Amino acid sequence: GHIVRNWKVRWFVLLQDKLLYYKIEGGKKEPSPKGRILLDGCTITCPCLEYENRPLLIKLKTKTNTDYFLECCSREERDSWALDITGAIHAGHPVQVQELHRMKNSFKLLDNISLYDIVERMYDSSTGIKLTRNLDQGNRYKETFTGSALVDWLISNSFAVSRFEAVTLASMLMDENFIRPVGVRSTEATRSSDPSEKFLDDSTALYMFAENGKKNTSSKEEVQFNISELSGTIVKQGFLVKQGHKRKNWKVRRFVLRADPAFLHYYDPTKEENKPVGGFSLRGCLVSALEDNGVPAGVKGNVQGNLFKIITKNDIHYYIQASSKAERVQWIEAIKPLT
């Protein structure tokens, strides 16, 4: 309501240029509309998360800056209404309407979105995901959020444009161990052979931040990785020894080679979190074996042999040791086609 801010059931009828609403008396709508919302110049926000305890809202702002908050009965109904209302708002622009329907089931994640940026935003005390206590199968869980709440949050913060995209993005957050399932429903879904069904867009599926996925506020530097570079197909992975850039010491790292897009990431096997400590694009790189007779310039410390070098297009040199000549050949042959 505009005067008394209470919530009342209304019967809505969507026309080409306006949204009519009727009072309900005795289970039937009255013959004359109670009011109307002109859609010309209107903007729509869906999902609208301005009311924490009302996750099924659509917000309409007219060109005269009047706000209407409409609550639906389910997420499916809300999203269907939002799509049809948006289509009516852009009725004079058929190309935009076609694009809206195409986007509904499309997959087009933005390349410049970083998983770390998303998690940082999720932790924000004022605009982040709301954490609540939940009960599942008799077990109480603190600081959890539902799958559908995360999907809504990702869309409302413009990290995704459709529920399909948001579910895919949430699945990536779970795969990279930023969030984890809790409770029976969400945990059982992770056993699905279909990747699209491992994260549930459901108000009864519970998730929480993985303890080791929390942002380290004391860290002065944090390596950023885009969604695109971590979404490639894994071509090869294994343990290699890498020389550090600053101290020039040698450390064991788990390397993961991905294609489409071509990236090489390395992980610290002593840490539980499944996120890279470094990585780079292979496009424009040069990879070559280093002969064992004599240590090349730039290499220090204990060198056992089976060295190879990768030079990025930005002229950054990576020195890596394999456990054998055969393994070195395998890695070089796997990397070369992706450069």
Side-chain angles (χ1 to χ4, degrees), residues 80-94:
S80 177
W81 271 99
L83 190 69
D84 291 337
I85 292 171
T86 306
I89 291 172
H90 298 292
H93 308 278

Side-chain angles (χ1 to χ4, degrees), residues 5 8 20 37 40 48 51 68 84 111 119 128 181 234 237 240 256-257 262 265 269-270 279 287 289 297 316 318 328:
R5 297 289 181 175
K8 294 180 179 178
L20 304 178
I37 304 171
D40 179 40
C48 172
Y51 288 83
Y68 291 88
D84 291 337
D111 289 341
V119 174
I234 294 177
Q237 57 181 317
L240 298 166
V256 177
L257 177 63
H265 293 99
T270 65
V287 56
I316 298 174
Y318 289 87
R328 178 175 67 178

Side-chain angles (χ1 to χ4, degrees), residues 19-134:
L19 190 61
L20 304 178
Y21 53 95
Y22 297 77
K23 284 183 69 175
I24 300 293
E25 292 291 344
K28 296 181 180 179
K29 72 180 181 75
E30 292 189 334
S32 300
K34 172 73 174 176
R36 63 179 183 170
I37 304 171
L38 298 178
L39 298 178
D40 179 40
C42 216
T43 59
I44 182 170
T45 303
C46 178
C48 172
L49 305 182
E50 292 188 26
Y51 288 83
E52 184 177 339
N53 62 337
R54 294 182 181 274
L56 303 178
L57 289 183
I58 296 171
K59 178 182 177 181
L60 293 175
K61 180 184 283 290
T62 67
K63 65 179 180 181
T64 58
N65 289 324
T66 302
D67 291 339
Y68 291 88
F69 293 93
L70 316 177
E71 184 173 32
C72 300
C73 297
S74 68
R75 280 178 168 79
E76 291 76 17
E77 185 179 69
R78 179 198 64 186
D79 294 347
S80 177
W81 271 99
L83 190 69
D84 291 337
I85 292 171
T86 306
I89 291 172
H90 298 292
H93 308 278
V95 174
Q96 283 183 276
V97 176
Q98 290 176 5
E99 179 68 11
L100 285 166
H101 284 274
R102 186 193 66 77
M103 284 169 53
K104 185 178 181 183
N105 294 307
S106 69
F107 176 68
K108 189 182 179 184
L109 288 173
L110 300 176
D111 289 341
N112 61 348
I113 293 179
S114 161
L115 293 180
Y116 292 90
D117 291 340
I118 294 174
V119 174
E120 185 176 10
R121 290 273 296 276
M122 287 174 68
Y123 272 105
D124 189 282
S125 58
S126 57
T127 61
I129 189 92
K130 301 302 180 186
L131 304 178
T132 59
R133 294 172 180 263
N134 282 286

Side-chain angles (χ1 to χ4, degrees), residues 32 155 194 196 326:
S32 300
I155 295 172
D194 186 347
S196 65

Side-chain angles (χ1 to χ4, degrees), residues 204-222:
T204 63
L206 301 181
Y207 299 87
M208 68 188 306
F209 288 113
E211 286 297 318
N212 46 33
K214 290 185 178 180
K215 180 177 179 289
N216 184 4
T217 55
S218 63
S219 176
K220 293 182 180 179
E221 293 184 55
E222 190 173 81

